[in-house]
Amino acid sequence: MANQSLPSRIHLIGNAHLDPVWLWQWQEGYAEIKATFRSALDRLNEYPDFVFTRSCAAYYRWIEENAPEMFEEIRARVAEGRWVIVGGWWIQPDCNLPSGESFARHGLYGQRYFQAKFGTTAKVGYNVDSFGHNAMLPQLLKKSGIDYYVFMRPDKQEKELERNLFWWESEDGSRVMTFRLSDSYSTSWGASLEEKIIKHAEMGAADGHAHMTFYGVGNHGGGPTVANLEAIRALQAKFGADRLAISSPNRYFEELEIARPQLPVLKDELQMHAVGCYSTHSESKENNRRAEHRLLAAEKFSAAAGVLLGLPYPQEQLKQGWENVLFNQFHDIMGGCSIREAFQDARESYGEALHIAAKALNAATQRMSWSIDTMKPDVKSLSKEKDWLSWEHGDLGTPYVVFNPLSWESEMPVRANRKLASVTDDEGNAVPVQTVRASRTNGRDNWDTLFMARVPAMGYRVYWCFRDKAFSPESAPSPVVAERNVLENDYVRVEIEPHTGYVSRMLDKRTNTEVLAGKGAVPVVIDEHHSDTWGHGLHSYRDLIGYFADAEVKVLEQGPLRGVLRVTSRYNGSTLRQDFTLHHHSADVQVQVQLDWREKHKMLKLSFPVAAEQPETYAEIPYGYLRREPNGREVPGQQWFDVCGIDSETGTRRGLAILNSGKYACDVLDNEARITVVRSPIFADHYGVRDDQVEYMDQGVQEFAYALVPHEGGWQDAGIVRKAYELNVPPVAVWETYHEGPLPQKYEGLKISSGQVICTAFKQAEDGGGWIVRGYETAGRPAKAKLRVPMLNRSWTADFGKCEIKTFYVPSDAELPVREVQLTEMAMIQDESSKETRSGNQ
């Protein structure tokens, strides 16, 4: 009988923290997961009241494929209720840097795996080791069938919370009951198990509800030990089993739901821990961004080719590509804090995902282009005995099919790898062209042709390319000025300071206002000798020690479509090359960067002081955005961030958005915006190692792009989200020849009536029998949208709340209605705001 009492009830959670990759490669993690699962099964056999909690579908997949007899034991224990599945995701990822769609796929593939193999899904989200948690996670969790969440970082010193148990709410209003571990997920660190239990019970008494205490050995696996379980038996005898329950997160939250304590509501992100992880190991982060977008493009056109032409949809191959990406989003991989060998493995895995997507995308677009009727009247008049290749009949033109993966009509620069005399669209209208330098250096034809293509949403358009015949556009654009150190068009003038390479002036000619309050695109070098790989204990990187300078500025291109200035600057042994590009039709300045980085324990940022008073700053987060204070803190972001405020002369609101193609960190101090380009700590340096036997990150050459978008009003009204996607998602082009076919020369695959709503995914449903269309509201304003998919002969309307994600299941059977479903595609969401109409009734 118990002779002491605990001030509150404690739920003991037996778990094993398992990093499949960190200071070891995945092959070692694979072995350790098997050993840990075996140990947990042994403890379940030895201790009838023991309950084990485990997340990460990827781990179960490894056991299933390599130890099937053990997998069957786990299935039996899950059915018994003593092995509890939590998490519901493929892995415990970094919870800031993956895209919104990646989080959707974690839920899709993780929950469906658990349902298929164990007949259950997770109800508790579980990321106890991830370094921070974006503010859109409550919606992503709820729409994956997850009602609760457990995390550990940031801890109390990093973010003060009113209570460790609270309602966490995202912008759309979704809520999950959330619990923060007050200390470690392990009993291998710090205080004894009894000390932890007493401390947690006292916290529970103060809060008025029970707490959870985690036990078990980690990080390299292990789990609950015999010593742990014997100690628990003794503590139960001391305190009573009713006050000290061997439990699971599921049981804990079920009891809290019944008790219904009054809980605070938090509507915010959960930061800051390990701020250096937003910018470590540029290669894996850039590969992640490319793979996410390429897989989505491959799915869209694979679906289109399947619907229109019967091309088999490569479901399993694309799923494999996604699983590779999801695994590499594990927090110690995408967070950039693993050993060097782990990133060599990640390179191979991302490469496989990118190649899978490339093959699927190529198969789909070539099947579609091959099925387009390219037999123009002048082509049909040719004798069938003649050679059909247009390069033998240059006056007829060659069809060049341009595909647009985005869900809106886009005007985009397209490069044809030929020197052409002219280009016309599918209706015979000439479009402006510009001859540009090719990547080829052998032979005489070292020139390509650039033209602007306007392509329908998620569709394609045929352009006709002429080698010899010159057609003139009805209205030629004003040429872009590119001379010495100036880029200028009808919308903006950019001046480069010759000796430094900094932007000395950026004039928005539309409003006759200065965009910058000082010199911009300034490469600032930050000292970080006091930092480890994670950036533990830091909030910002502001220790300025130097600048890139000693610049060379030269004109690369000048023509009717664009002008390009190349700015090359240096710092110590490092070289920064920035190609500033201005197109004729836009005020946006795109910059292609090549950096040869040779610094150690240093960081590079690009600085832009924005001419705006009372500045506000916003950044894209997964499937949403967040306003933050301009306080100089290093923060995570996705494809864009923005600084806007009041113009001191006109009193109007304006700002500058900075877009990127593969960077995830920035900071804003007052009106100065800085994008983080690179940092070079030691690989996996947790303890401040300093000797000659270490290797430094990100040494050598890397490339990425960014863009500067000046705008009036707020970022929502300037189309910033769309522009960021356009920077990251290139068009796909296929050379064709002459042939008949069932498809027209111009095709629109999707139409959305609201500019606030973007469709991110169009794919075959996991169960077959239909198609999935997923979109989200981007501006933080409720919107009603009509969605039309011509190839499916379907249209429907839906009400989107602020930053709301909606997933629609479109059955192949036209008699069945379009339904809103969860991200997992397993459950329907009751939504009276969605109404379908048949295309014939539009």
Side-chain angles (χ1 to χ4, degrees):
M1 179 176 293
N3 54 21
Q4 293 188 33
S5 63
L6 286 172
S8 73
R9 181 168 162 82
I10 292 295
H11 290 251
L12 291 168
I13 312 300
N15 82 109
H17 181 63
L18 280 162
D19 287 334
V21 176
W22 179 33
L23 304 180
W24 46 85
Q25 293 175 262
W26 66 266
Q27 295 90 339
E28 184 174 337
Y30 193 112
E32 187 56 40
I33 284 164
K34 288 192 296 182
T36 298
F37 280 29
R38 180 68 265 162
S39 175
L41 288 167
D42 290 345
R43 302 294 83 75
L44 288 164
N45 290 332
E46 296 162 356
Y47 294 85
D49 55 349
F50 171 53
V51 177
F52 184 63
T53 295
R54 180 66 260 159
S55 64
C56 302
Y59 300 173
Y60 291 84
R61 167 72 65 80
W62 284 352
I63 299 297
E64 180 186 17
E65 70 184 13
N66 200 254
E69 69 293 337
M70 184 160 51
F71 189 75
E72 292 304 316
E73 288 186 67
I74 295 171
R75 285 166 59 113
R77 292 304 189 184
V78 170
E80 184 185 7
R82 294 178 59 211
W83 185 299
V84 178
I85 291 172
V86 294
W89 287 0
W90 199 247
I91 207 79
Q92 288 190 47
D94 182 283
C95 289
N96 284 310
L97 309 185
S99 68
E101 186 58 26
S102 282
F103 286 109
R105 299 309 172 102
H106 275 286
L108 174 69
Y109 298 127
Q111 291 282 58
R112 292 184 71 88
Y113 180 84
F114 289 133
Q115 180 63 47
K117 303 300 179 179
F118 302 100
T120 188
T121 57
K123 296 299 181 184
V124 177
Y126 186 94
N127 290 299
V128 297
D129 200 33
S130 300
F131 305 147
H133 309 263
N134 76 79
M136 287 299 291
L137 278 185
Q139 182 182 183
L140 288 157
L141 291 163
K142 289 291 285 188
K143 291 196 171 181
S144 297
I146 295 171
D147 298 320
Y148 314 103
Y149 194 56
V150 178
F151 75 102
M152 183 176 72
R153 299 188 174 101
D155 62 23
K156 183 176 181 179
Q157 287 70 37
E158 294 162 333
K159 186 177 182 69
E160 187 70 38
L161 296 174
E162 184 178 343
R163 203 180 299 178
N164 280 344
L165 183 69
F166 55 94
W167 289 108
W168 188 21
E169 182 176 309
S170 53
E171 187 66 27
D172 70 302
S174 297
R175 284 185 179 182
V176 289
M177 188 183 290
T178 300
F179 182 83
R180 177 171 71 178
L181 277 64
S182 61
D183 48 34
S184 173
Y185 44 67
S186 169
T187 48
S188 53
W189 302 350
S192 70
L193 182 57
E194 182 172 2
E195 290 172 322
K196 286 180 67 172
I197 288 168
I198 293 172
K199 181 179 76 171
H200 295 172
E202 291 170 348
M203 293 173 65
D207 292 338
H209 56 74
H211 268 234
M212 285 191 280
T213 298
F214 279 52
Y215 68 96
V217 176
N219 290 320
H220 196 247
T225 64
V226 170
N228 289 155
L229 294 170
E230 290 296 329
I232 288 169
R233 281 184 171 177
L235 291 169
Q236 284 183 317
K238 182 176 182 180
F239 296 118
D242 60 328
R243 303 296 278 174
L244 192 59
I246 296 176
S247 187
S248 69
N250 291 31
R251 182 179 172 188
Y252 172 77
F253 285 113
E254 287 168 1
E255 289 191 8
L256 266 292
E257 285 280 12
I258 296 171
R260 303 189 70 82
Q262 291 295 314
L263 300 178
V265 177
L266 177 72
K267 193 173 181 179
D268 193 9
E269 59 185 341
L270 295 169
Q271 313 294 4
M272 301 172 58
H273 179 86
V275 297
C277 289
Y278 312 148
S279 52
T280 44
H281 208 268
S282 296
E283 179 191 10
S284 58
K285 289 177 168 58
E286 195 268 342
N287 279 339
N288 178 79
R289 179 80 61 81
R290 283 198 303 142
E292 288 174 331
H293 282 306
R294 190 180 294 176
L295 283 164
L296 288 170
E299 287 178 341
K300 290 173 183 176
F301 288 116
S302 294
V307 172
L308 295 171
L309 302 165
L311 183 71
Y313 187 85
Q315 184 98 304
E316 291 305 314
Q317 295 94 320
L318 290 170
K319 182 180 177 184
Q320 180 62 60
W322 274 112
E323 288 176 1
N324 285 16
V325 171
L326 301 182
F327 184 83
N328 286 319
Q329 289 171 348
F330 180 71
H331 53 269
D332 285 324
I333 302 175
M334 195 165 187
C337 49
S338 293
I339 58 174
R340 179 174 177 269
E341 295 88 341
F343 294 110
Q344 295 171 336
D345 294 334
R347 181 185 301 122
E348 295 174 358
S349 182
Y350 275 125
E352 182 182 40
L354 285 161
H355 190 56
I356 286 171
K359 288 196 297 183
L361 183 58
N362 179 69
T365 54
Q366 293 228 23
R367 179 64 173 267
M368 293 174 71
S369 69
W370 189 252
S371 302
I372 297 170
D373 187 351
T374 56
M375 297 293 284
K376 299 192 300 182
D378 51 358
V379 175
K380 291 180 180 180
S381 66
L382 286 175
S383 167
K384 291 186 178 181
E385 285 76 20
K386 291 189 176 181
D387 186 350
W388 294 103
L389 291 176
S390 72
W391 297 113
E392 298 299 323
H393 304 282
D395 59 336
L396 300 178
T398 297
Y400 195 48
V401 188
V402 182
F403 293 84
N404 172 20
L406 300 170
S407 65
W408 57 91
E409 182 182 73
S410 298
E411 186 174 14
M412 57 195 80
V414 175
R415 181 188 287 259
N417 60 336
R418 303 282 193 279
K419 186 176 182 180
L420 303 171
S422 61
V423 176
T424 67
D425 63 20
D426 59 302
E427 297 177 348
N429 303 306
V431 299
V433 299
Q434 181 172 328
T435 299
V436 296
R437 187 71 168 82
S439 60
R440 304 177 299 279
T441 56
N442 57 330
R444 297 179 180 179
D445 185 14
N446 297 333
W447 301 97
D448 289 345
T449 302
L450 187 76
F451 65 94
M452 297 300 295
R454 184 176 289 278
V455 186
M458 223 168 71
Y460 65 81
R461 191 174 190 179
V462 174
Y463 284 84
W464 290 87
C465 299
F466 297 88
R467 183 183 63 180
D468 302 315
K469 184 179 290 186
F471 296 96
S472 298
E474 289 187 6
S475 60
S478 300
V480 179
V481 174
E483 55 185 20
R484 298 181 63 186
N485 64 323
V486 174
L487 283 175
E488 186 172 6
N489 64 10
D490 291 342
Y491 307 97
V492 69
R493 177 181 174 89
V494 179
E495 299 176 8
I496 307 292
E497 192 172 60
H499 61 286
T500 64
Y502 309 155
V503 176
S504 57
R505 187 186 192 196
M506 189 173 182
L507 174 68
D508 190 336
K509 296 167 67 174
R510 299 168 298 182
T511 56
N512 196 33
T513 54
E514 298 291 344
V515 177
L516 301 175
K519 295 176 183 179
V522 178
V524 296
V525 182
I526 307 294
D527 179 25
E528 56 163 13
H529 273 86
H530 53 288
S531 174
D532 63 10
T533 309
W534 287 256
H536 282 124
L538 298 179
H539 292 113
S540 60
Y541 291 96
R542 308 292 301 182
D543 295 336
L544 174 66
I545 57 173
Y547 303 89
F548 276 68
D550 186 25
E552 299 173 5
V553 183
K554 65 179 180 179
V555 177
L556 283 192
E557 294 181 21
Q558 181 180 12
L561 295 184
R562 73 182 186 190
V564 182
L565 292 182
R566 172 164 290 177
V567 178
T568 306
S569 55
R570 297 168 181 83
Y571 175 86
N572 290 343
S574 300
T575 303
L576 176 67
R577 192 182 79 190
Q578 301 186 81
D579 291 348
F580 288 82
T581 300
L582 183 63
H583 290 92
H584 73 93
H585 67 301
S586 172
D588 306 348
V589 179
Q590 296 185 359
V591 188
Q592 185 66 42
V593 179
Q594 184 187 87
L595 171 67
D596 187 357
W597 182 249
R598 303 291 172 178
E599 310 308 312
K600 299 175 181 178
H601 287 305
K602 295 184 180 72
M603 170 185 279
L604 174 63
K605 288 176 172 281
L606 290 170
S607 169
F608 301 88
V610 182
E613 297 183 351
Q614 303 172 39
E616 298 175 356
T617 180
Y618 298 82
E620 183 184 42
I621 62 175
Y623 272 151
Y625 71 92
L626 191 68
R627 179 181 175 182
R628 297 187 174 108
E629 292 299 317
N631 54 18
R633 288 193 165 194
E634 188 81 354
V635 292
Q638 299 267 315
Q639 299 174 133
W640 62 268
F641 72 107
D642 184 85
V643 177
C644 57
I646 304 301
D647 181 89
S648 59
E649 296 184 1
T650 66
T652 57
R653 187 173 179 80
R654 62 189 177 93
L656 176 69
I658 301 174
L659 325 178
N660 73 85
S661 70
K663 299 300 176 182
Y664 291 89
C666 62
D667 75 89
V668 179
L669 181 60
D670 297 327
N671 68 330
E672 183 195 17
R674 292 181 174 184
I675 181 172
T676 305
V677 175
V678 67
R679 59 187 296 258
S680 49
I682 298 168
F683 279 94
D685 172 21
H686 207 161
Y687 307 105
V689 174
R690 301 289 184 270
D691 61 42
D692 295 331
Q693 303 300 314
V694 296
E695 293 194 56
Y696 291 81
M697 286 190 171
D698 277 351
Q699 301 296 293
V701 176
Q702 61 169 281
E703 296 184 0
F704 72 100
Y706 70 92
L708 307 175
V709 183
H711 60 84
E712 291 186 270
W715 59 268
Q716 297 97 326
D717 303 314
I720 298 304
V721 175
R722 287 187 172 191
K723 288 175 181 290
Y725 274 96
E726 288 169 352
L727 182 68
N728 279 270
V729 182
V732 179
V734 178
W735 285 107
E736 266 303 337
T737 184
Y738 309 131
H739 41 65
E740 295 179 341
L743 298 183
Q745 291 191 21
K746 182 180 178 182
Y747 191 82
E748 182 180 55
L750 178 71
K751 191 171 185 64
I752 303 176
S753 64
S754 172
Q756 296 170 223
V757 176
I758 284 177
C759 171
T760 48
F762 175 49
K763 58 182 282 291
Q764 182 175 281
E766 294 299 306
D767 290 333
W771 308 92
I772 293 294
V773 176
R774 181 156 38 250
Y776 74 110
E777 195 283 319
T778 62
R781 303 166 179 167
K784 179 182 287 291
K786 182 175 182 178
L787 296 89
R788 184 170 66 89
V789 186
M791 70 185 78
L792 299 176
N793 197 32
R794 294 290 192 113
S795 66
W796 64 97
T797 58
D799 291 328
F800 285 78
K802 296 195 300 182
C803 298
E804 185 178 8
I805 310 159
K806 284 184 178 289
T807 303
F808 301 100
Y809 172 68
V810 186
S812 298
D813 184 346
E815 297 303 313
L816 298 176
V818 174
R819 297 175 297 162
E820 186 182 353
V821 296
Q822 287 187 336
L823 297 172
T824 61
E825 304 175 23
M826 292 191 295
M828 183 170 67
I829 294 176
Q830 298 296 331
D831 183 6
E832 297 300 323
S833 69
S834 297
K835 183 178 181 181
E836 183 183 3
T837 62
R838 292 292 186 264
S839 294
N841 298 325
Q842 293 171 26

